[in-house]
Amino acid sequence: MAARSARERPRHLIFDADDTLWENNIYFERAFDDFVAFLRHSTLDAGRIRAVLDEIEIANARVHGYGSLNFGRNLHQAYQRLAERDVRPQDRDIILQFAARILEQPVELIDGVDETLAHLAAHYELTLFTKGDAEEQRLKVARSGVAGYFSHTAIVKEKDRDSYRSLVDQRKFTPSQTWMIGNSPKSDINPALEAGLNAVLIPHAHTWTLERQEIREGPGQLIRLERFAELRGCF
């Protein structure tokens, strides 16, 4: 990383949570696989079923947001649209259980997260910035064991340019000295760059399809890393 002037040195690091600090989407993918097996469609493969579910999720996210409970609702709507047999009352309970099991999974930190956060928290102010169902996200933060590294946690319905600007204003951050670290181009990188922040992209092999986008340039700097632990060499 090129040397920075004192004015540009980072002071605040903002972190995404799901699939940046801990595993998340793998559990949704397992629930989807269970759904496909239960649906047993005669002609549609998993990819085409996923396309239908994506359409439903895009529409419902605007109203209901994210999280496992909303995912269960989306699966049930997809079932009602695609089922080739009569829809029984008990089918809904079975499908919702696929999503409910997501909440039962342990919070599994990604390699290097704990020790890297401990190192960074000794030098910078760390903020956790996540989206989704507020109660569900608070539960994951509490169970993660890393909440103590963060001086502030913000949970929002959507992470877009305006939500980043609002966070920066509320916390009185200087954008040029603030970095957003995450795995999602859609929610972590592009809106942060558009809001004038710097960003670090740490891709995850199982980033949700709807969180993938081409990176759009903004006024801030962008760093791409392979592993979370590499942050120690950047800051």
Side-chain angles (χ1 to χ4, degrees), residues 33-77:
D33 289 342
D34 290 339
F35 172 76
V36 172
F38 179 70
L39 178 64
R40 298 196 314 273
H41 201 282
S42 63
T43 61
L44 299 182
D45 60 15
R48 294 170 69 186
I49 295 170
R50 169 66 74 178
V52 172
L53 180 61
D54 285 348
E55 177 186 334
I56 292 170
E57 292 197 295
I58 290 170
N60 286 348
R62 301 188 185 102
V63 178
H64 301 294
Y66 304 94
S68 61
L69 296 179
N70 291 319
F71 182 65
R73 179 190 294 112
N74 297 335
L75 287 178
H76 185 239
Q77 288 186 18

Side-chain angles (χ1 to χ4, degrees), residues 165-195:
R165 287 178 172 171
S166 177
L167 177 66
V168 167
D169 290 344
Q170 291 172 8
R171 302 298 295 168
K172 302 188 185 306
F173 292 165
T174 301
S176 63
Q177 296 176 307
T178 302
W179 289 77
M180 175 66 200
I181 296 102
N183 69 291
S184 165
K186 178 179 181 291
S187 294
D188 301 328
I189 306 304
N190 286 336
L193 292 173
E194 292 166 0

Side-chain angles (χ1 to χ4, degrees), residues 16 20 54 57-59 61-62 65-66 129 131 157-164 180 182-195 199-203 207-216 222:
D16 171 52
T20 296
D54 285 348
E57 292 197 295
I58 290 170
R62 301 188 185 102
Y66 304 94
F129 190 41
K131 71 177 184 180
K157 183 176 180 180
E158 193 66 73
K159 291 164 68 176
D160 53 22
R161 180 182 59 184
D162 290 343
S163 67
Y164 279 94
M180 175 66 200
N183 69 291
S184 165
K186 178 179 181 291
S187 294
D188 301 328
I189 306 304
N190 286 336
L193 292 173
E194 292 166 0
V200 180
L201 174 64
I202 309 176
T207 293
W208 186 25
T209 304
L210 298 185
E211 290 292 326
R212 300 173 187 173
Q213 282 183 347
E214 292 295 322
I215 299 296
R216 299 192 296 269
L222 172 65

Side-chain angles (χ1 to χ4, degrees), residues 123-153:
H123 303 281
Y124 304 100
E125 180 180 344
L126 308 188
T127 296
L128 186 59
F129 190 41
T130 182
K131 71 177 184 180
D133 178 81
E135 185 57 34
E136 187 171 327
Q137 293 304 99
R138 279 194 289 267
L139 179 62
K140 286 191 284 188
V141 172
R143 294 168 59 199
S144 71
V146 299
Y149 296 128
F150 298 96
S151 60
H152 180 70
T153 296

Side-chain angles (χ1 to χ4, degrees), residues 2-22:
R4 301 186 187 90
S5 67
R7 182 182 66 82
E8 296 174 323
R9 288 175 187 156
R11 293 179 57 192
H12 306 287
L13 304 181
I14 306 171
F15 289 84
D16 171 52
D18 294 335
D19 293 322
T20 296
L21 302 183
W22 52 71

